[in-house]
Amino acid sequence: MTTFYLVRHGETMWNKEHRLQGWLDSPLSENGISNAKKLQEHLREIEFAAAFSSSSGRAKETLQILVGDRQLPIYHADDLREIFLGDWQGKTVEDIIKTQRLDYELYTDYPAQFIATHTESFGAVTERAMYMLKEIADKFPEENVLIVSHAVTIKCVVNAILGRSINQLWSEPFIHGTSVTIIERSEHQLLVKDIGNIQHLQ
């Protein structure tokens, strides 16, 4: 059985500014670095066979903190990146609402009705992320694997494994920075064991 410890990257400077990142990037904030260090300590007793992150800088930075002095094979993968947000990338939510309120409200409140024109679709994110989990599980079939990814990507994976409709994409719990979602894969079946756990921050 493969057990994935799927972590959202730590808080970034753009997160603090309510600025959308997508495939663009910004460095971790002081809070993001601090919380990643807390998670590193929380995960200390768990043995990992490998560590993966998306190819985005904020995910790599978080993974580097989590791995610390462990001697692990480390991989970076485009398929673990956040949803591509096209024209919205680098803009604040406030700015987006001024010009594309309806589109943004569909994205945040009615995801099944959101039509991806300048962005990646939720379906495309789900497909690439689920494929990546399969690839990792095939390579590490009986081990724990640490993965740093992004909020929407993690939401898409959880939604798919639970067999929920896209309307339920934003269902609680919220995926906070450095939260841990645990997924097991046994005999080609995926099972969600925990979602968005932030015990290390409490």
Side-chain angles (χ1 to χ4, degrees):
M1 179 176 70
T2 306
T3 302
F4 302 105
Y5 287 76
L6 193 52
V7 177
R8 183 187 176 189
H9 62 82
E11 180 193 69
T12 69
M13 300 305 292
W14 280 12
N15 288 150
K16 288 179 67 174
E17 297 169 9
H18 305 290
R19 193 178 297 276
L20 300 192
Q21 293 174 117
W23 288 5
L24 296 184
D25 213 11
S26 68
L28 297 188
S29 66
E30 287 184 17
N31 187 55
I33 292 168
S34 172
N35 289 347
K37 288 178 178 176
K38 289 175 184 175
L39 181 58
Q40 179 203 40
E41 182 62 30
H42 185 72
L43 297 175
R44 185 173 295 281
E45 300 304 316
I46 299 170
E47 290 189 14
F48 292 107
F52 287 75
S53 80
S54 92
S55 51
S56 295
R58 59 194 184 275
K60 290 180 178 180
E61 190 179 354
T62 303
L63 186 70
Q64 187 175 13
I65 295 168
L66 297 183
V67 170
D69 58 4
R70 296 185 196 229
Q71 298 300 309
L72 293 177
I74 293 174
Y75 306 88
H76 306 300
D78 287 346
D79 283 343
L80 293 171
R81 279 186 297 184
E82 183 58 291
I83 186 171
F84 176 71
L85 288 173
D87 300 344
W88 293 347
Q89 296 183 156
K91 294 181 180 177
T92 64
V93 171
E94 184 180 4
D95 286 341
I96 293 165
I97 288 173
K98 284 177 185 174
T99 57
Q100 293 175 289
R101 176 183 288 273
L102 177 58
D103 236 13
Y104 189 73
E105 286 181 351
L106 290 175
Y107 174 82
T108 56
D109 298 335
Y110 306 97
Q113 297 175 45
F114 176 70
I115 299 171
T117 52
H118 64 96
T119 72
E120 190 176 13
S121 70
F122 295 122
V125 177
T126 303
E127 187 174 343
R128 62 173 166 82
M130 293 293 284
Y131 174 78
M132 193 68 212
L133 291 189
K134 178 185 179 299
E135 290 283 294
I136 294 170
D138 288 346
K139 190 167 184 173
F140 301 97
E142 299 294 335
E143 288 141 323
N144 298 322
V145 179
L146 178 63
I147 301 175
V148 179
S149 187
H150 304 263
V152 178
T153 309
I154 294 168
K155 279 287 191 184
C156 285
V157 165
V158 168
N159 216 48
I161 295 171
L162 295 179
R164 299 189 305 204
S165 75
I166 205 71
N167 270 328
Q168 296 170 285
L169 182 67
W170 305 123
S171 296
E172 294 291 334
F174 186 81
I175 303 298
H176 292 276
T178 72
S179 66
V180 182
T181 295
I182 300 176
I183 295 168
E184 293 179 351
R185 194 238 202 181
S186 180
E187 298 179 355
H188 305 288
Q189 294 293 315
L190 289 165
L191 181 66
V192 178
K193 300 294 288 184
D194 200 1
I195 303 173
N197 191 304
I198 51 171
Q199 184 180 356
H200 59 287
L201 301 181
Q202 294 167 347

